[in-house]
Amino acid sequence: GAGVSQTPSNKVTEKGKYVELRCDPISGHTALYWYRQSLGQGPEFLIYFQGTGAADDSGLPNDRFFAVRPEGSVSTLKIQRTERGDSAVYLCASSLIDTDTQYFGPGTRLTVL
Amino acid sequence: AQSVSQHNHHVILSEAASLELGCNYSYGGTVNLFWYVQYPGQHLQLLLKYFSGDPLVKGIKGFEAEFIKSKFSFNLRKPSVQWSDTAEYFCAVTTPNNNDMRFGAGTRLTVKP
């Protein structure tokens, strides 16, 4: 079946701009996760949704980052006033229930110039 | 908070050599343990996981891992590597009450043909 999909695959933006990154989880998966992976590092947790609500947003680095999942399926990660340090690969994962194995999407590579 | 250490940053082996990649975690309670693999240009894929039961876990492509609770370790092994095993390998941990997956920094495996 279809896996987790993310769009765009690549995003180049200028410092100070606003960006949105989209994640389509596996159909039927209630839990959705966002991670950020910098070069040479493992993925770093950002936020977790159970259904429509953010159950844990403790990994968001600051208030420029927020994410929504209004209908409990697709999620959008939004970054305001982007900075060069935001450059990374942003990964999305989903799982059937919140204690199950997480399946990852291909990621969006964000480059802030 | 739990952390995950992967001791080897880059491992280079010849085909047919045996592989062992180290993973240690810091959390003292019940843990769920995972190994993910990322082949060049592809997304993270689950190799194997341990939730409970037999501490020797077998995964896909001939990989296995052993959970040793007393050593807080979950090392990945394969008796005979192939060129196609060239990839980045990530160890990860969750706990039953905490959904954010903590990853190690990853180990890059290069298998020479």
Side-chain angles (χ1 to χ4, degrees):
Chain A
V4 178
S5 62
Q6 293 185 246
T7 55
S9 55
N10 279 285
K11 176 71 177 177
V12 180
T13 190
E14 293 180 343
K15 180 175 178 296
K17 298 290 188 183
Y18 168 82
V19 297
E20 291 190 351
L21 312 178
R22 177 188 166 108
C23 171
D24 271 281
I26 293 172
S27 178
H29 280 195
T30 60
L32 185 147
Y33 309 79
W34 284 99
Y35 293 84
R36 178 169 69 175
Q37 186 174 17
S38 301
L39 196 63
Q41 301 295 321
E44 176 189 5
F45 171 78
L46 295 177
I47 185 170
Y48 149 64
F49 287 89
Q50 179 58 259
T52 60
D56 182 354
D57 63 358
S58 62
L60 294 177
N62 51 59
D63 61 6
R64 295 186 297 106
F65 288 75
F66 62 104
V68 296
R69 195 186 184 199
E71 297 177 356
S73 179
V74 170
S75 176
T76 304
L77 178 66
K78 309 183 181 195
I79 310 174
Q80 298 177 318
R81 305 182 304 279
T82 51
E83 300 177 357
R84 292 194 180 87
D86 299 334
S87 296
V89 175
Y90 288 82
L91 298 170
C92 177
S94 71
S95 63
L96 192 57
I97 57 174
D98 59 5
T99 56
D100 202 358
T101 302
Q102 297 179 27
Y103 296 90
F104 284 80
T108 293
R109 181 175 299 278
L110 175 66
T111 303
V112 182
L113 301 176
Chain B
Q2 66 266 37
S3 65
V4 181
S5 299
Q6 292 184 243
H7 319 294
N8 312 104
H9 297 293
H10 190 192
V11 173
I12 302 173
L13 295 172
S14 298
E15 275 195 315
S18 64
L19 170 72
E20 180 159 3
L21 300 182
C23 172
N24 286 88
Y25 60 93
S26 65
Y27 188 69
T30 301
V31 293
N32 301 321
L33 296 155
F34 306 80
W35 276 97
Y36 282 86
V37 61
Q38 189 166 28
Y39 298 104
Q42 297 188 26
H43 60 277
L44 281 165
Q45 300 173 38
L46 181 70
L47 263 183
L48 48 80
K49 62 185 179 183
Y50 172 80
F51 281 13
S52 64
D54 188 344
L56 185 61
V57 180
K58 295 198 183 295
I60 61 171
K61 305 186 180 186
F63 286 91
E64 65 178 31
E66 185 175 12
F67 170 51
I68 302 179
K69 189 174 182 179
S70 61
K71 295 184 178 179
F72 299 91
S73 70
F74 190 57
N75 292 355
L76 181 71
R77 300 194 293 248
K78 185 171 183 177
S80 176
V81 295
Q82 301 173 313
W83 176 79
S84 58
D85 293 325
T86 294
E88 185 104 22
Y89 291 81
F90 293 94
C91 181
V93 174
T94 64
T95 61
N97 296 319
N98 192 346
N99 297 290
D100 63 13
M101 185 172 281
R102 298 295 175 116
F103 284 83
T107 296
R108 184 155 62 100
L109 172 65
T110 300
V111 180
K112 298 185 292 185

